[in-house]
Amino acid sequence: MKNILVTGGAGFIGANFIPYFLNKYPEYEIVNLDKLTYAGNLNNLTEVHSNPRYHFVQGDITNRELVSSLFRQFDFQGIIHLAAESHVDRSIQDPTLFIKTNIEGTFVLLEAARLHWMQKPGEYKQDYIESRFLHVSTDEVYGSLGPAGFFTEETPYAPNNPYSATKAGSDLLVRSYVHTYGFNAITTHASNNYGPKQYPEKLIPIIIQRALAQQPIPIHGKGNAVRDWIYVLDHCKGIDLTFHYGQIGEHYNFGGNHEQNNLQIAYQVCALLDKLAPLSNRSSYQSLITFVTDRPGNDQRYALATQKAEKTLGWKAEEPFETGLQKTVQWYLKNKL
Ligand SMILES: NC(=O)c1ccc[n+]([C@@H]2O[C@H](COP(=O)([O-])OP(=O)(O)OC[C@H]3O[C@@H](n4cnc5c(N)ncnc54)[C@H](O)[C@@H]3O)[C@@H](O)[C@H]2O)c1
């Protein structure tokens, strides 16, 4: 049995990842360390609550004492690091917590793992030779694209907002541990995830929430910022493959190969709701779409080249956007926000 630390497992991606991972690997025990900020929700993990191979610890990744004591108690052999402050708008209002959690928190985890697993730079302790730290990052560290082209794993970093800057900072700390200590870490970059269990401040759940409440659906600027959309379970499968088969120190991109601007997304969600939860007066939810002041410095377009993950990990985004969106909307209809 191997003990794996998952940080931020009560958040959107974590709450999709943990049940998938526990189910797929009967030889793993998972400890989910989560602070339960506004974004963490244990109700999204009910399917694993009673699983004897799942443990929850409420705590902060920046707490060195706690993290070290968990290493001693559970003797982790791997880390999947998801915990972060993740909402760009909040980072623009106040970056303080982003710097603390995303940069300092990643440092605390790296350092605890290094001390637990390694004898000295370049040398792992015998029992930890295969131990690995998987750092989950974002496409936003690469900056913004014009109408053409894709970010590859070689694209130079150019983060444009405090959120992406703190993710980039944490990525660089990971890089330095690989380079300096020969630490076994890998970094993944995903595009915009969508799916069940996401906190309703991100685009798709907020559209659903506002529509069902018959309140204005806020769309930044003219709604023409383009994002690539990946179904959350496809990202979870990418994390899994990277953790097991990725090369030390490498970066892997995971995108859904499905670019849409925000307005297109809003139209599609509204059209689905018109079908699945029609308004009694038969008008369309689209009439609730309201344009609001754009995010300052908003990136125009993100798109990821994913050939590296496809060729070297055998990964492929499997969920078509249409079915993924349908599953998502249906989940929110069942689990009223
Ligand atoms: N959602 C996306 O589209 C997306 C895309 C690419 C990368 N990512 C990255 O994936 C990771 C997970 O994203 P998400 O969408 O699930 O985020 P989320 O905001 O839904 O969840 C974050 C989780 O981390 C926890 N957390 C926050 N601060 C903590 C701290 N100091 N100590 C312990 N736990 C803490 C929260 O309680 C929450 O459960 C993040 O690192 C994010 O940058 C997300």
Side-chain angles (χ1 to χ4, degrees), residues 101-118:
T101 288
N102 299 1
I103 299 181
E104 195 182 324
T106 302
F107 164 67
V108 167
L109 293 165
L110 284 167
E111 193 57 2
R114 177 178 80 84
L115 295 174
H116 196 77
W117 295 342
M118 298 188 78

mmCIF file with all atom_site columns, all heavy atoms in Angstrom, residues 101-118:
data_model
loop_
_atom_site.group_PDB
_atom_site.id
_atom_site.type_symbol
_atom_site.label_atom_id
_atom_site.label_alt_id
_atom_site.label_comp_id
_atom_site.label_asym_id
_atom_site.label_entity_id
_atom_site.label_seq_id
_atom_site.pdbx_PDB_ins_code
_atom_site.Cartn_x
_atom_site.Cartn_y
_atom_site.Cartn_z
_atom_site.occupancy
_atom_site.B_iso_or_equiv
_atom_site.pdbx_formal_charge
_atom_site.auth_seq_id
_atom_site.auth_comp_id
_atom_site.auth_asym_id
_atom_site.auth_atom_id
_atom_site.pdbx_PDB_model_num
ATOM 1   N N   . THR A 1 101 ? -0.485 31.158 -0.342 1.00 0.00 ? 101 THR A N   1
ATOM 2   C CA  . THR A 1 101 ? -0.840 29.748 -0.614 1.00 0.00 ? 101 THR A CA  1
ATOM 3   C C   . THR A 1 101 ? -0.067 29.192 -1.805 1.00 0.00 ? 101 THR A C   1
ATOM 4   O O   . THR A 1 101 ? 0.538  28.120 -1.732 1.00 0.00 ? 101 THR A O   1
ATOM 5   C CB  . THR A 1 101 ? -2.357 29.621 -0.858 1.00 0.00 ? 101 THR A CB  1
ATOM 6   O OG1 . THR A 1 101 ? -3.027 29.803 0.379  1.00 0.00 ? 101 THR A OG1 1
ATOM 7   C CG2 . THR A 1 101 ? -2.716 28.251 -1.413 1.00 0.00 ? 101 THR A CG2 1
ATOM 8   N N   . ASN A 1 102 ? -0.081 29.927 -2.911 1.00 0.00 ? 102 ASN A N   1
ATOM 9   C CA  . ASN A 1 102 ? 0.436  29.330 -4.150 1.00 0.00 ? 102 ASN A CA  1
ATOM 10  C C   . ASN A 1 102 ? 1.959  29.238 -4.146 1.00 0.00 ? 102 ASN A C   1
ATOM 11  O O   . ASN A 1 102 ? 2.518  28.239 -4.624 1.00 0.00 ? 102 ASN A O   1
ATOM 12  C CB  . ASN A 1 102 ? -0.064 30.117 -5.372 1.00 0.00 ? 102 ASN A CB  1
ATOM 13  C CG  . ASN A 1 102 ? -1.589 30.090 -5.470 1.00 0.00 ? 102 ASN A CG  1
ATOM 14  O OD1 . ASN A 1 102 ? -2.258 29.505 -4.632 1.00 0.00 ? 102 ASN A OD1 1
ATOM 15  N ND2 . ASN A 1 102 ? -2.143 30.731 -6.475 1.00 0.00 ? 102 ASN A ND2 1
ATOM 16  N N   . ILE A 1 103 ? 2.618  30.256 -3.610 1.00 0.00 ? 103 ILE A N   1
ATOM 17  C CA  . ILE A 1 103 ? 4.090  30.219 -3.624 1.00 0.00 ? 103 ILE A CA  1
ATOM 18  C C   . ILE A 1 103 ? 4.623  29.591 -2.332 1.00 0.00 ? 103 ILE A C   1
ATOM 19  O O   . ILE A 1 103 ? 5.316  28.571 -2.365 1.00 0.00 ? 103 ILE A O   1
ATOM 20  C CB  . ILE A 1 103 ? 4.677  31.631 -3.846 1.00 0.00 ? 103 ILE A CB  1
ATOM 21  C CG1 . ILE A 1 103 ? 4.196  32.167 -5.209 1.00 0.00 ? 103 ILE A CG1 1
ATOM 22  C CG2 . ILE A 1 103 ? 6.209  31.589 -3.780 1.00 0.00 ? 103 ILE A CG2 1
ATOM 23  C CD1 . ILE A 1 103 ? 4.706  33.528 -5.595 1.00 0.00 ? 103 ILE A CD1 1
ATOM 24  N N   . GLU A 1 104 ? 4.247  30.189 -1.189 1.00 0.00 ? 104 GLU A N   1
ATOM 25  C CA  . GLU A 1 104 ? 4.792  29.670 0.069  1.00 0.00 ? 104 GLU A CA  1
ATOM 26  C C   . GLU A 1 104 ? 4.298  28.241 0.335  1.00 0.00 ? 104 GLU A C   1
ATOM 27  O O   . GLU A 1 104 ? 5.062  27.389 0.794  1.00 0.00 ? 104 GLU A O   1
ATOM 28  C CB  . GLU A 1 104 ? 4.395  30.604 1.218  1.00 0.00 ? 104 GLU A CB  1
ATOM 29  C CG  . GLU A 1 104 ? 5.194  30.366 2.483  1.00 0.00 ? 104 GLU A CG  1
ATOM 30  C CD  . GLU A 1 104 ? 4.733  31.269 3.621  1.00 0.00 ? 104 GLU A CD  1
ATOM 31  O OE1 . GLU A 1 104 ? 4.359  32.438 3.354  1.00 0.00 ? 104 GLU A OE1 1
ATOM 32  O OE2 . GLU A 1 104 ? 4.733  30.783 4.768  1.00 0.00 ? 104 GLU A OE2 1
ATOM 33  N N   . GLY A 1 105 ? 3.037  27.996 0.034  1.00 0.00 ? 105 GLY A N   1
ATOM 34  C CA  . GLY A 1 105 ? 2.475  26.662 0.268  1.00 0.00 ? 105 GLY A CA  1
ATOM 35  C C   . GLY A 1 105 ? 3.207  25.603 -0.557 1.00 0.00 ? 105 GLY A C   1
ATOM 36  O O   . GLY A 1 105 ? 3.526  24.517 -0.066 1.00 0.00 ? 105 GLY A O   1
ATOM 37  N N   . THR A 1 106 ? 3.485  25.922 -1.816 1.00 0.00 ? 106 THR A N   1
ATOM 38  C CA  . THR A 1 106 ? 4.213  24.964 -2.664 1.00 0.00 ? 106 THR A CA  1
ATOM 39  C C   . THR A 1 106 ? 5.614  24.738 -2.109 1.00 0.00 ? 106 THR A C   1
ATOM 40  O O   . THR A 1 106 ? 6.106  23.600 -2.068 1.00 0.00 ? 106 THR A O   1
ATOM 41  C CB  . THR A 1 106 ? 4.267  25.483 -4.120 1.00 0.00 ? 106 THR A CB  1
ATOM 42  O OG1 . THR A 1 106 ? 2.933  25.674 -4.574 1.00 0.00 ? 106 THR A OG1 1
ATOM 43  C CG2 . THR A 1 106 ? 4.987  24.510 -5.037 1.00 0.00 ? 106 THR A CG2 1
ATOM 44  N N   . PHE A 1 107 ? 6.228  25.811 -1.637 1.00 0.00 ? 107 PHE A N   1
ATOM 45  C CA  . PHE A 1 107 ? 7.575  25.681 -1.050 1.00 0.00 ? 107 PHE A CA  1
ATOM 46  C C   . PHE A 1 107 ? 7.559  24.748 0.170  1.00 0.00 ? 107 PHE A C   1
ATOM 47  O O   . PHE A 1 107 ? 8.404  23.856 0.295  1.00 0.00 ? 107 PHE A O   1
ATOM 48  C CB  . PHE A 1 107 ? 8.112  27.073 -0.667 1.00 0.00 ? 107 PHE A CB  1
ATOM 49  C CG  . PHE A 1 107 ? 9.271  27.008 0.264  1.00 0.00 ? 107 PHE A CG  1
ATOM 50  C CD1 . PHE A 1 107 ? 10.485 26.478 -0.159 1.00 0.00 ? 107 PHE A CD1 1
ATOM 51  C CD2 . PHE A 1 107 ? 9.159  27.440 1.578  1.00 0.00 ? 107 PHE A CD2 1
ATOM 52  C CE1 . PHE A 1 107 ? 11.567 26.390 0.703  1.00 0.00 ? 107 PHE A CE1 1
ATOM 53  C CE2 . PHE A 1 107 ? 10.226 27.351 2.445  1.00 0.00 ? 107 PHE A CE2 1
ATOM 54  C CZ  . PHE A 1 107 ? 11.431 26.823 2.014  1.00 0.00 ? 107 PHE A CZ  1
ATOM 55  N N   . VAL A 1 108 ? 6.569  24.932 1.043  1.00 0.00 ? 108 VAL A N   1
ATOM 56  C CA  . VAL A 1 108 ? 6.491  24.094 2.258  1.00 0.00 ? 108 VAL A CA  1
ATOM 57  C C   . VAL A 1 108 ? 6.373  22.615 1.877  1.00 0.00 ? 108 VAL A C   1
ATOM 58  O O   . VAL A 1 108 ? 7.042  21.749 2.446  1.00 0.00 ? 108 VAL A O   1
ATOM 59  C CB  . VAL A 1 108 ? 5.297  24.544 3.147  1.00 0.00 ? 108 VAL A CB  1
ATOM 60  C CG1 . VAL A 1 108 ? 4.993  23.517 4.234  1.00 0.00 ? 108 VAL A CG1 1
ATOM 61  C CG2 . VAL A 1 108 ? 5.594  25.899 3.774  1.00 0.00 ? 108 VAL A CG2 1
ATOM 62  N N   . LEU A 1 109 ? 5.563  22.342 0.879  1.00 0.00 ? 109 LEU A N   1
ATOM 63  C CA  . LEU A 1 109 ? 5.373  20.943 0.452  1.00 0.00 ? 109 LEU A CA  1
ATOM 64  C C   . LEU A 1 109 ? 6.644  20.374 -0.172 1.00 0.00 ? 109 LEU A C   1
ATOM 65  O O   . LEU A 1 109 ? 7.042  19.232 0.099  1.00 0.00 ? 109 LEU A O   1
ATOM 66  C CB  . LEU A 1 109 ? 4.218  20.858 -0.554 1.00 0.00 ? 109 LEU A CB  1
ATOM 67  C CG  . LEU A 1 109 ? 2.825  21.181 0.000  1.00 0.00 ? 109 LEU A CG  1
ATOM 68  C CD1 . LEU A 1 109 ? 1.840  21.417 -1.137 1.00 0.00 ? 109 LEU A CD1 1
ATOM 69  C CD2 . LEU A 1 109 ? 2.323  20.040 0.903  1.00 0.00 ? 109 LEU A CD2 1
ATOM 70  N N   . LEU A 1 110 ? 7.280  21.180 -1.028 1.00 0.00 ? 110 LEU A N   1
ATOM 71  C CA  . LEU A 1 110 ? 8.519  20.720 -1.676 1.00 0.00 ? 110 LEU A CA  1
ATOM 72  C C   . LEU A 1 110 ? 9.578  20.399 -0.631 1.00 0.00 ? 110 LEU A C   1
ATOM 73  O O   . LEU A 1 110 ? 10.260 19.363 -0.698 1.00 0.00 ? 110 LEU A O   1
ATOM 74  C CB  . LEU A 1 110 ? 9.067  21.824 -2.590 1.00 0.00 ? 110 LEU A CB  1
ATOM 75  C CG  . LEU A 1 110 ? 8.374  22.061 -3.930 1.00 0.00 ? 110 LEU A CG  1
ATOM 76  C CD1 . LEU A 1 110 ? 8.843  23.375 -4.547 1.00 0.00 ? 110 LEU A CD1 1
ATOM 77  C CD2 . LEU A 1 110 ? 8.633  20.901 -4.892 1.00 0.00 ? 110 LEU A CD2 1
ATOM 78  N N   . GLU A 1 111 ? 9.688  21.290 0.331  1.00 0.00 ? 111 GLU A N   1
ATOM 79  C CA  . GLU A 1 111 ? 10.749 21.147 1.332  1.00 0.00 ? 111 GLU A CA  1
ATOM 80  C C   . GLU A 1 111 ? 10.475 19.933 2.230  1.00 0.00 ? 111 GLU A C   1
ATOM 81  O O   . GLU A 1 111 ? 11.384 19.150 2.523  1.00 0.00 ? 111 GLU A O   1
ATOM 82  C CB  . GLU A 1 111 ? 10.825 22.453 2.144  1.00 0.00 ? 111 GLU A CB  1
ATOM 83  C CG  . GLU A 1 111 ? 12.040 22.609 3.006  1.00 0.00 ? 111 GLU A CG  1
ATOM 84  C CD  . GLU A 1 111 ? 13.383 22.532 2.287  1.00 0.00 ? 111 GLU A CD  1
ATOM 85  O OE1 . GLU A 1 111 ? 13.439 22.390 1.052  1.00 0.00 ? 111 GLU A OE1 1
ATOM 86  O OE2 . GLU A 1 111 ? 14.395 22.551 3.007  1.00 0.00 ? 111 GLU A OE2 1
ATOM 87  N N   . ALA A 1 112 ? 9.215  19.769 2.629  1.00 0.00 ? 112 ALA A N   1
ATOM 88  C CA  . ALA A 1 112 ? 8.880  18.609 3.481  1.00 0.00 ? 112 ALA A CA  1
ATOM 89  C C   . ALA A 1 112 ? 9.159  17.313 2.715  1.00 0.00 ? 112 ALA A C   1
ATOM 90  O O   . ALA A 1 112 ? 9.718  16.356 3.273  1.00 0.00 ? 112 ALA A O   1
ATOM 91  C CB  . ALA A 1 112 ? 7.410  18.671 3.889  1.00 0.00 ? 112 ALA A CB  1
ATOM 92  N N   . ALA A 1 113 ? 8.810  17.287 1.436  1.00 0.00 ? 113 ALA A N   1
ATOM 93  C CA  . ALA A 1 113 ? 9.026  16.074 0.635  1.00 0.00 ? 113 ALA A CA  1
ATOM 94  C C   . ALA A 1 113 ? 10.521 15.838 0.443  1.00 0.00 ? 113 ALA A C   1
ATOM 95  O O   . ALA A 1 113 ? 11.011 14.709 0.558  1.00 0.00 ? 113 ALA A O   1
ATOM 96  C CB  . ALA A 1 113 ? 8.321  16.203 -0.707 1.00 0.00 ? 113 ALA A CB  1
ATOM 97  N N   . ARG A 1 114 ? 11.241 16.888 0.142  1.00 0.00 ? 114 ARG A N   1
ATOM 98  C CA  . ARG A 1 114 ? 12.695 16.726 -0.071 1.00 0.00 ? 114 ARG A CA  1
ATOM 99  C C   . ARG A 1 114 ? 13.364 16.149 1.182  1.00 0.00 ? 114 ARG A C   1
ATOM 100 O O   . ARG A 1 114 ? 14.158 15.197 1.098  1.00 0.00 ? 114 ARG A O   1
ATOM 101 C CB  . ARG A 1 114 ? 13.321 18.082 -0.419 1.00 0.00 ? 114 ARG A CB  1
ATOM 102 C CG  . ARG A 1 114 ? 14.825 18.031 -0.586 1.00 0.00 ? 114 ARG A CG  1
ATOM 103 C CD  . ARG A 1 114 ? 15.388 19.373 -0.986 1.00 0.00 ? 114 ARG A CD  1
ATOM 104 N NE  . ARG A 1 114 ? 15.549 20.296 0.122  1.00 0.00 ? 114 ARG A NE  1
ATOM 105 C CZ  . ARG A 1 114 ? 16.597 20.334 0.937  1.00 0.00 ? 114 ARG A CZ  1
ATOM 106 N NH1 . ARG A 1 114 ? 17.584 19.466 0.796  1.00 0.00 ? 114 ARG A NH1 1
ATOM 107 N NH2 . ARG A 1 114 ? 16.672 21.221 1.926  1.00 0.00 ? 114 ARG A NH2 1
ATOM 108 N N   . LEU A 1 115 ? 13.008 16.713 2.337  1.00 0.00 ? 115 LEU A N   1
ATOM 109 C CA  . LEU A 1 115 ? 13.654 16.248 3.574  1.00 0.00 ? 115 LEU A CA  1
ATOM 110 C C   . LEU A 1 115 ? 13.237 14.811 3.907  1.00 0.00 ? 115 LEU A C   1
ATOM 111 O O   . LEU A 1 115 ? 14.029 14.043 4.443  1.00 0.00 ? 115 LEU A O   1
ATOM 112 C CB  . LEU A 1 115 ? 13.310 17.194 4.736  1.00 0.00 ? 115 LEU A CB  1
ATOM 113 C CG  . LEU A 1 115 ? 13.866 18.608 4.577  1.00 0.00 ? 115 LEU A CG  1
ATOM 114 C CD1 . LEU A 1 115 ? 13.375 19.522 5.687  1.00 0.00 ? 115 LEU A CD1 1
ATOM 115 C CD2 . LEU A 1 115 ? 15.411 18.589 4.541  1.00 0.00 ? 115 LEU A CD2 1
ATOM 116 N N   . HIS A 1 116 ? 11.997 14.463 3.579  1.00 0.00 ? 116 HIS A N   1
ATOM 117 C CA  . HIS A 1 116 ? 11.518 13.116 3.907  1.00 0.00 ? 116 HIS A CA  1
ATOM 118 C C   . HIS A 1 116 ? 12.081 12.069 2.942  1.00 0.00 ? 116 HIS A C   1
ATOM 119 O O   . HIS A 1 116 ? 12.350 10.935 3.341  1.00 0.00 ? 116 HIS A O   1
ATOM 120 C CB  . HIS A 1 116 ? 9.984  13.102 3.857  1.00 0.00 ? 116 HIS A CB  1
ATOM 121 C CG  . HIS A 1 116 ? 9.373  11.914 4.529  1.00 0.00 ? 116 HIS A CG  1
ATOM 122 N ND1 . HIS A 1 116 ? 9.265  11.783 5.899  1.00 0.00 ? 116 HIS A ND1 1
ATOM 123 C CD2 . HIS A 1 116 ? 8.848  10.768 4.018  1.00 0.00 ? 116 HIS A CD2 1
ATOM 124 C CE1 . HIS A 1 116 ? 8.703  10.636 6.194  1.00 0.00 ? 116 HIS A CE1 1
ATOM 125 N NE2 . HIS A 1 116 ? 8.434  9.994  5.069  1.00 0.00 ? 116 HIS A NE2 1
ATOM 126 N N   . TRP A 1 117 ? 12.254 12.458 1.686  1.00 0.00 ? 117 TRP A N   1
ATOM 127 C CA  . TRP A 1 117 ? 12.603 11.472 0.655  1.00 0.00 ? 117 TRP A CA  1
ATOM 128 C C   . TRP A 1 117 ? 14.100 11.396 0.323  1.00 0.00 ? 117 TRP A C   1
ATOM 129 O O   . TRP A 1 117 ? 14.569 10.381 -0.186 1.00 0.00 ? 117 TRP A O   1
ATOM 130 C CB  . TRP A 1 117 ? 11.873 11.803 -0.664 1.00 0.00 ? 117 TRP A CB  1
ATOM 131 C CG  . TRP A 1 117 ? 10.383 11.686 -0.604 1.00 0.00 ? 117 TRP A CG  1
ATOM 132 C CD1 . TRP A 1 117 ? 9.635  11.025 0.332  1.00 0.00 ? 117 TRP A CD1 1
ATOM 133 C CD2 . TRP A 1 117 ? 9.448  12.264 -1.535 1.00 0.00 ? 117 TRP A CD2 1
ATOM 134 N NE1 . TRP A 1 117 ? 8.300  11.153 0.037  1.00 0.00 ? 117 TRP A NE1 1
ATOM 135 C CE2 . TRP A 1 117 ? 8.150  11.889 -1.100 1.00 0.00 ? 117 TRP A CE2 1
ATOM 136 C CE3 . TRP A 1 117 ? 9.571  13.039 -2.691 1.00 0.00 ? 117 TRP A CE3 1
ATOM 137 C CZ2 . TRP A 1 117 ? 6.995  12.286 -1.776 1.00 0.00 ? 117 TRP A CZ2 1
ATOM 138 C CZ3 . TRP A 1 117 ? 8.425  13.417 -3.363 1.00 0.00 ? 117 TRP A CZ3 1
ATOM 139 C CH2 . TRP A 1 117 ? 7.151  13.042 -2.910 1.00 0.00 ? 117 TRP A CH2 1
ATOM 140 N N   . MET A 1 118 ? 14.818 12.513 0.549  1.00 0.00 ? 118 MET A N   1
ATOM 141 C CA  . MET A 1 118 ? 16.185 12.563 0.005  1.00 0.00 ? 118 MET A CA  1
ATOM 142 C C   . MET A 1 118 ? 17.251 12.577 1.088  1.00 0.00 ? 118 MET A C   1
ATOM 143 O O   . MET A 1 118 ? 17.073 13.181 2.147  1.00 0.00 ? 118 MET A O   1
ATOM 144 C CB  . MET A 1 118 ? 16.345 13.800 -0.888 1.00 0.00 ? 118 MET A CB  1
ATOM 145 C CG  . MET A 1 118 ? 15.420 13.779 -2.087 1.00 0.00 ? 118 MET A CG  1
ATOM 146 S SD  . MET A 1 118 ? 15.760 15.097 -3.267 1.00 0.00 ? 118 MET A SD  1
ATOM 147 C CE  . MET A 1 118 ? 17.194 14.445 -4.118 1.00 0.00 ? 118 MET A CE  1
#
